Amino acid sequence: MVFSSAIFLFIFLPVVFLGNLLIRPLWAKNLFLTAASLVFYAFGEPVYVFLMIASAAMNYGFGRGLAATERQEIRRFLLVVSVLCDLVILGTFKYAGFLVENINHIAGSHLNVPEIALPVGISFFTFQAMSYVIDVYRNRDMCQKSFMKVLLYISFFPQLIAGPIVRWGEIETQLDHRAVTTDGVAEGICRFVKGLAKKLLLANGLGQIADQVFGLNIGQYSMAVAWLGAICYALQIFYDFSGYSDMAIGLASMFGFHFQENFDHPYSAESIHGFWRRWHISLSSWFKEYVYIPLGGNRKGKLRTEGNKLIVFFLTGIWHGANWTFVIWGMIHGIMNVLEDTILPIRKCRFKWIGNLYTWIIAVTAFVMFRADTAVYGWQMIRTMFGNFSWDMLSRQFILERLDGYTMTLLAAGILFSYPVTGVLAQKTLKWREAHSAVWENLRYVGVLLLFFLCVCSLASAAYNPFIYFRL
């Protein structure tokens, strides 16, 4: 836990926003935001804040070395060493226990499994640090002489814990040229409240049902119960993670920064290929830019292209966590992408609803593995989803007890807003909003205030429920 929600919303955030507003010189704003970001991280990770600073310093040093060196072989050596150092840090904290467990299982050995606490957000800030060095390797003019700016880039608190992953090339100029505007602040507040509502009003409620189902001995229940839990979790993780991204993008706007979108209604896609153009866009872009294209991308034949995709999806899976369930989740998506490229004509289907239904089935099924504690349990639940057609008393009782008006409303709202309905409504009402712009703006801000009030009420009555991606 970094900050409690109340402290963050009502103390930390207002103080940092007002401080940033009152400070005039840009260098002083950067220094202030860097200090605030370190305080934010240190509040929950008092020891690991030094790890993050050390990571930033190490990559800053490699960047300076790359910029100062002319010989290509030395520059390549420095790049490889820097990437290896970042991967060793990430691997030590995130994968050491997983690796030893698998060695013990395969070799029959009894090595002590290290129990190392996982620093919050290490996957995100490590990938950003790697982005800096790789970008400098490609273009030495992108080297930043100020360590403080590199540290701000890596530690900036809105996206520090769970993204979106911001590449150095996307934010470099913003560190030196940005402005806090009234429109930017207003849009940022609206976006932040939207993300907060996604988390508190949708994700948390759906997560309660998902947790109950995933806590069952699912083999004793029917497919209806398994599908209820799987769909609730698929919606939970979407609103949980996209909610955080909305909050991060909104906060960045309030401070004069612009972050790329991270989600674009992925459940409205008509193929798994389309799903990944809309889901966790910043991670997909990172792997495309720094892994897929360097591996050869689609430039070395069909077989090599599909192999590169499988490598990327394997890495995407293991990036999410040290468990074979994440690897299986990633490979399900990788295999379906390859099948769509080769023998599965889903992207040529004339009926869009068929492609969309197919996407839902694959994505929801894959997320069962993402959520399951073990691959055995995940496989058992998938078997129940597609094989147990019974409607026994135990399943009937479970469904009837949980599908009350509140849960049905959550499910309906979750499915409805996973499609771009607000965008369609905005387009349909464009002429009216242009003709009544003042009325529309007032209505919009009233709606945001009402939504914020509901969020505060939810915070007051709910237990601590962190974002799912805090553990990555």
Side-chain angles (χ1 to χ4, degrees), residues 353-365:
W353 69 268
I354 294 178
N356 185 229
L357 179 61
Y358 150 85
T359 302
W360 270 92
I361 291 171
I362 300 300
V364 170
T365 303

Side-chain angles (χ1 to χ4, degrees), residues 88-330:
V88 165
I89 293 172
L90 183 61
T92 299
F93 286 93
K94 192 167 184 175
Y95 303 109
F98 176 68
L99 181 62
V100 172
E101 285 178 356
N102 280 276
I103 290 173
N104 286 341
H105 179 74
I106 294 171
S109 56
H110 300 282
L111 301 174
N112 290 327
V113 178
E115 296 182 0
I116 305 173
L118 182 66
V120 173
I122 188 172
S123 297
F124 290 92
F125 71 70
T126 300
F127 266 35
Q128 293 202 174
M130 291 169 67
S131 168
Y132 170 72
V133 176
I134 297 172
D135 284 354
V136 173
Y137 172 77
R138 292 175 173 178
N139 181 3
R140 57 165 45 91
D141 292 337
M142 298 181 74
C143 177
Q144 177 56 247
K145 294 182 179 180
S146 169
F147 169 65
M148 187 263 295
K149 291 179 183 177
V150 174
L151 182 58
L152 174 58
Y153 158 67
I154 291 173
S155 67
F156 192 35
F157 76 89
Q159 43 72 234
L160 170 62
I161 306 300
I165 299 171
V166 181
R167 286 179 286 163
W168 174 247
E170 298 169 348
I171 202 172
E172 177 192 14
T173 58
Q174 298 183 52
L175 293 171
D176 294 314
H177 306 283
R178 67 179 186 275
V180 178
T181 64
T182 302
D183 288 343
V185 171
E187 288 300 318
I189 291 173
C190 291
R191 189 67 180 270
F192 178 85
V193 173
K194 175 186 174 183
L196 189 65
K198 281 184 176 181
K199 166 62 177 173
L200 297 176
L201 305 184
L202 288 174
N204 285 358
L206 291 163
Q208 291 177 7
I209 303 298
D211 288 345
Q212 292 174 21
V213 174
F214 278 88
L216 299 173
N217 183 354
I218 197 63
Q220 299 178 359
Y221 291 80
S222 71
M223 64 186 303
V225 174
W227 274 102
L228 174 64
I231 291 172
C232 282
Y233 181 71
L235 291 171
Q236 178 200 3
I237 194 171
F238 167 61
Y239 287 112
D240 189 283
F241 192 20
S242 68
Y244 185 94
S245 294
D246 284 339
M247 293 168 68
I249 292 169
L251 286 174
S253 181
M254 292 167 62
F255 292 103
F257 290 92
H258 174 74
F259 290 168
Q260 68 166 314
E261 294 295 332
N262 210 22
F263 289 87
D264 183 18
H265 302 93
Y267 291 129
S268 69
E270 295 155 20
S271 65
I272 294 300
H273 181 269
F275 178 88
W276 276 96
R277 296 184 64 169
R278 298 164 176 263
W279 177 275
H280 206 341
I281 297 169
S282 64
L283 180 66
S284 301
S285 299
W286 197 97
F287 273 116
K288 179 181 179 180
E289 184 71 22
Y290 301 122
V291 179
Y292 178 71
I293 292 176
L295 284 174
N298 59 359
R299 304 185 306 276
K300 298 188 177 182
K302 190 68 174 177
L303 185 63
R304 180 71 173 270
T305 297
E306 304 308 329
N308 291 340
K309 286 186 178 181
L310 290 177
I311 292 172
V312 166
F313 276 102
F314 172 82
L315 295 175
T316 299
I318 200 69
W319 178 86
H320 280 82
N323 194 318
W324 286 111
T325 56
F326 295 111
V327 175
I328 295 170
W329 169 79

Side-chain angles (χ1 to χ4, degrees), residues 386-399:
F386 291 95
N388 190 348
F389 296 94
S390 65
W391 185 236
D392 55 273
M393 181 61 70
L394 190 63
S395 299
R396 188 181 305 119
Q397 182 179 356
F398 184 91
I399 292 288

